[in-house]
């Protein structure tokens, strides 16, 4: 509390902090993903909204024993499992939600319209876009692998070409992974190339405040008649209220889902 300005500041985290602050080396290889999430939810006294899964998670490590004994937070462990199952993972009040991602999307639309006669019809006050031209180069991802069963080394490469072509050199990424098959290496190269190529554009925006926009929203930007018009994912949402400016919020977003980070290790 700042007494001279009569300003009270409140900060905090949701119940995901219970999992973020707790490290573990146990990966529960004999359990399914849903069983692990339920076990950790019970450990921290939280309610559960969990869809049952059937695959033992030991199969997700593909003979990578270093990952089996590494230390990670409980939240990172559950997020890894959510990625493998193509599930959503989030907290809703004191309930942990672990369920398949919805095929139907309800977009939060940000529509930019030109200012006419000093009046703006946009539902956004201000937007600023950025593009990383290093990441936006043509991309070549090479995975060097070693199949423990066939005792063979192999290389798989995937490419993503950007349009329009600027004649630039390819941005190269290389990963060395043991214990996966040649088909898995090819799939990994494709996935990494896709995620890197998507990680092109970000924006910041200021707009009127509401409680509809959440970190799980998918934002659809329209009105620019260019490649900026596409889908984005929130990174941070900040809301503020004052007598002078009313209820407003600021937003950082990128056109790459923060919940599908690529692990090259």
């Amino acid at each position: 509390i700042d007494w001279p300005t009569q300003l009270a500041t409140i900060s905090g985290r949701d119940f995901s902090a219970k999992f973020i602050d707790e490290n573990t080396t146990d990966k529960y290889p004999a359990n399914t993903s849903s069983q692990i999430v339920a076990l950790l939810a019970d450990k921290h006294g939280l309610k559960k909204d969990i869809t049952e899964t059937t695959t033992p998670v030991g199969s997700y490590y593909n003979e990578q024993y270093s990952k089996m004994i590494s230390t990670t937070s409980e939240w990172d462990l559950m997020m890894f499992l959510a990625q493998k199952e193509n599930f959503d993972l989030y907290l809703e009040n004191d309930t942990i939600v672990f369920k398949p991602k919805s095929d139907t999307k309800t977009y939060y639309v940000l529509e930019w319209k030109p200012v006419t006669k000093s009046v703006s019809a946009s539902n956004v006050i201000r937007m600023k876009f950025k593009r990383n031209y290093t990441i936006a180069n043509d991309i070549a991802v090479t995975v060097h692998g070693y199949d423990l069963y066939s005792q063979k080394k192999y290389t798989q490469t995937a490419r993503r070409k950007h349009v329009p072509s600027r004649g630039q050199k390819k941005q190269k990424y290389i990963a060395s992974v043991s214990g996966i098959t040649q088909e898995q290496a090819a799939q990994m190269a494709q996935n990494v190339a896709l995620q890197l190529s998507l990680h092109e554009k970000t924006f910041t925006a200021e707009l009127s405040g509401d409680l509809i926009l959440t970190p799980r929203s998918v934002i659809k930007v329209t009105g620019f008649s260019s490649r900026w018009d596409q889908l984005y994912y929130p990174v941070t949402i900040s809301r503020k209220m004052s007598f002078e400016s009313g209820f407003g919020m600021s937003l950082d977003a990128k056109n790459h889902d923060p919940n599908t980070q690529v692990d090259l290790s």
Side-chain angles (χ1 to χ4, degrees), residues 99-199:
K99 60 175 58 175
K101 291 185 177 181
S102 174
D103 293 331
T104 58
K105 296 290 185 181
T106 301
Y107 299 121
Y108 186 95
V109 179
L110 293 182
E111 185 177 13
W112 180 263
K113 295 182 179 180
V115 176
T116 58
K117 297 181 179 180
S118 300
V119 176
S120 174
S122 303
N123 65 344
V124 59
I125 300 170
R126 186 176 295 107
M127 295 186 76
K128 183 178 181 180
F129 290 91
K130 292 182 179 179
R131 184 173 180 180
N132 186 329
Y133 278 96
T134 300
I135 298 296
N137 286 349
D138 290 353
I139 289 171
V141 175
T142 300
V143 176
H144 298 295
Y146 180 73
D147 193 328
L148 294 176
Y149 297 104
S150 64
Q151 302 291 305
K152 293 181 179 179
K153 297 180 180 179
Y154 50 82
T155 298
Q156 292 290 332
T157 299
R159 295 174 174 83
R160 300 286 297 185
K161 191 170 182 62
H162 292 263
V163 179
S165 175
R166 299 186 299 275
Q168 75 279 10
K169 295 180 179 179
K170 291 182 176 65
Q171 185 76 18
K172 295 181 179 180
Y173 298 84
I174 299 175
S176 296
V177 184
S178 61
I180 61 176
T181 66
Q182 191 165 351
E183 290 75 16
Q184 290 170 330
Q187 185 62 49
M188 179 181 178
Q190 291 285 349
N191 290 341
V192 173
L194 173 61
Q195 297 301 334
L196 290 172
S197 68
L198 288 175
H199 195 196

Side-chain angles (χ1 to χ4, degrees), residues 33-143:
S33 298
S34 58
Q35 290 172 340
I36 295 171
V37 174
L39 185 153
L40 296 177
D42 290 339
K43 173 184 175 181
H44 295 291
L46 297 177
K47 298 176 183 177
K48 305 182 291 288
D49 181 3
I50 297 173
T51 299
E52 185 177 354
T53 60
T54 58
T55 304
V57 303
S59 63
Y60 295 147
Y61 291 96
N62 296 318
E63 303 294 337
Q64 296 181 43
Y65 296 108
S66 61
K67 286 189 175 183
M68 291 285 289
I69 62 174
S70 62
T71 300
T72 185
S73 72
E74 292 177 345
W75 183 259
D76 286 341
L77 171 61
M78 293 191 298
M79 184 58 70
F80 168 79
L81 299 175
Q83 293 170 11
K84 291 296 185 181
E85 304 286 356
N86 196 29
F87 272 32
D88 275 328
L89 172 70
Y90 58 90
L91 268 295
E92 199 168 70
N93 299 321
D94 60 347
T95 300
I96 186 165
V97 180
F98 187 71
K99 60 175 58 175
K101 291 185 177 181
S102 174
D103 293 331
T104 58
K105 296 290 185 181
T106 301
Y107 299 121
Y108 186 95
V109 179
L110 293 182
E111 185 177 13
W112 180 263
K113 295 182 179 180
V115 176
T116 58
K117 297 181 179 180
S118 300
V119 176
S120 174
S122 303
N123 65 344
V124 59
I125 300 170
R126 186 176 295 107
M127 295 186 76
K128 183 178 181 180
F129 290 91
K130 292 182 179 179
R131 184 173 180 180
N132 186 329
Y133 278 96
T134 300
I135 298 296
N137 286 349
D138 290 353
I139 289 171
V141 175
T142 300
V143 176

Side-chain angles (χ1 to χ4, degrees), residues 12-33:
R13 299 185 291 172
D14 65 16
F15 284 111
S16 62
K18 291 178 175 286
F19 305 101
I20 294 171
D21 294 340
E22 190 76 20
N23 289 330
T24 181
T25 57
D26 197 342
K27 302 302 188 298
Y28 311 94
N31 295 82
T32 66
S33 298

